Amino acid sequence: MKLRTIVIGILLTAPAHSFAADTAALTPAGRWTAPMIGNAPTPPMGWSSWNAFRTEVDEDKVMGAAQKLVDSGLAKLGYRYVNIDDGWWLKRRKTDGRMIIRTPIFPSAKAKGKGETSFRPFTDRLHKMGLKAGIYSDAGYNACSQAYDLHSPNLPEGDTAERQVGLHGNVDKDIALYFKEWGFDYIKVDACGLNVYGADREIVKTYNYKPFPPLIDSNYIGRTDVAEVRKIYKDIGTAIAKYNPDGDYIYSICNWGTADVRSWGNEVGNLWRTSGDITPSWTRMLHTFDSASTRALYARPGAWNDPDMLFIGHGDFDQNHLTEARSHFSLWAMINAPLIIGYDLRNAPKSLLDIWGNADLIRVNQDSGGHQAVLAYDSDDVQIFVKTLADSNTKAVAIFNRGLLKADVTLIASHLKMATGQEIRLKNLWSGEQSDFKDEKTFSVAPRETLVFEVTGTRELEGGTYLSEIPGRIHVAEDGVVNPTPDPVVHQMIGQWSGTRNAGERPAYTGWGGAQADVSPYREGLSIAGRGYVSGIGILSNSRMEVRNARQYKRFEASVGVNDSGVNNGQTVRFAVYGDGRKLAETTDLAYGAAAQALSADISGVEVVELVASGPDGQPVTWGEAKLVN
Ligand code: GLA
């Protein structure tokens, strides 16, 4: 294999290449362009009314949960957002469009004297308890309950205009009311208003809703107006920022993985749902988990994949299914999912409180590095996830048995990217038990069990880090995906709403072909001209990644080329490394089958390293063993 290191001197005289791909998106920014929105340096934690009560929410239930958060010590562990979901509203006032609260269920909102309603007394109470308050709205005219919870006693009332409780057309007014006047700290913005209120819908005719030409088709991305959906969410985000000058807010985007939100959610909000709703069913939990678990490179401090709220305490995750409940919690913790409890906490048994209150797992989830766990081993039965903690000598590993048979799972040092022949220490984060091993250790994992360990040992790469170990320091500015395509690796379960009364539901969460840690964009091995790489970044050509070096490491190194899973079409890809906007190293043009070229660049003092691969559309390329070293 011929390796070539290209230094700046050569680059300056190298002929400019002329790929059509040399577009604005590939132009080095010279800085970290991912915005830091609101206040979510770690995944949000708290409680929400939805999974516990659906629309049958009321003040006693919410305050009861809040009190329990404080009394049980969960608040101290980080659960501080107390979020009201759908069901709080009565109507939009005719005269001035002000939103009116349903005071029979929120009595404290009956402001004295003026016949006005206000959530200020409610948020004041939460704030006095050391908690934060969250509210719910929709990006369209109407909300989800107005289409799906028609039996609810808490549906908005009045004529067509009065029942338009969503933000559309009232963004500035509503956001000012919710944040500035009422003092909320968190908003979840749903998207039913953007997809189920087309003029031809029965629901619109029967209930006389104002039609909204659907912008989202949950099944077909081609029928979704991605740019417009993004703009609507972006405009709402701009208003939220405007009415929160101190930046202390959280913006939760809830459009269920549609509209290619995977590629823009992290530039618009703090969390974005990656799938349809979770239900308290094991297979549905797998479904929402899978929609987020292979997207580590799209999340980072301030911006989190959201596989939906916890359903611990219900159905397959109730007190009689503590193995499943612990797995659900472990998995959410590992992939940096928001930890939002969805249970009537007033009656919570100790067995469940102990799960939400697992301080070790919360520490893993809330680790300041913000590195979402990466799959180190993947099969339909067993998955091994590894998460690098901010203290880079420490990791967390989860060994997850998805199936119904006991599994013997061998963990090897290289799953952990730890050195062979050296002692690796484990602490079981459910039992507290300590153990150690060298090279490999086999665990017996019960059906549906997840073992989670904190791991300390000697890193494979002492004094450096593979990029695939630090997804929280990577911003995929352009991933090269031209046609957003549904991700086929998401577990498909029996239809949650319809059972088997159709041919099966086909999740349309686009994201297939996105950037991946340690595998190709299509989850094949990383391999260049027959040489495999255990570590690296797989991405499509026409991509640009920003890596936060923060002047920490001195060199960037990688072996790069077209991945063997690509197409042998003779077209070439060129790889370049930039440091704070300056080109530091570049390959020659590399075709499919060409041996990997070594790229090495001096990045001393560099804040942001940028990795650009330009070439034909859609060719999988590999940044093999891409690393930052001293
Ligand atoms: C949608 C959301 C849920 C919940 C309901 C409320 O289904 O995805 O999380 O907010 O609406 O009606």
Side-chain angles (χ1 to χ4, degrees), residues 20 29 102 123 152 170 173 175 225 243 254 280 401 426 543 561 596 610:
R102 184 176 284 275
T123 62
S152 168
N170 288 289
K173 177 190 297 167
I175 296 298
D225 189 339
Y243 290 108
C254 180
N401 180 358
L426 299 177
S543 56
E610 285 171 83

Side-chain angles (χ1 to χ4, degrees), residues 50 85-86 136 144-145 188 190 254 256 273 277 308-309:
W50 182 252
D85 208 280
D86 206 341
Y136 168 89
C144 294
S145 58
K188 168 175 163 184
D190 222 323
C254 180
W256 333 288
R273 283 274 300 278
D277 291 6
D308 207 356
M309 301 175 283

Side-chain angles (χ1 to χ4, degrees), residues 562-578:
V562 174
N563 202 62
D564 289 337
S565 61
V567 184
N568 188 356
N569 57 10
Q571 293 178 304
T572 57
V573 179
R574 186 177 285 211
F575 298 75
V577 181
Y578 296 81

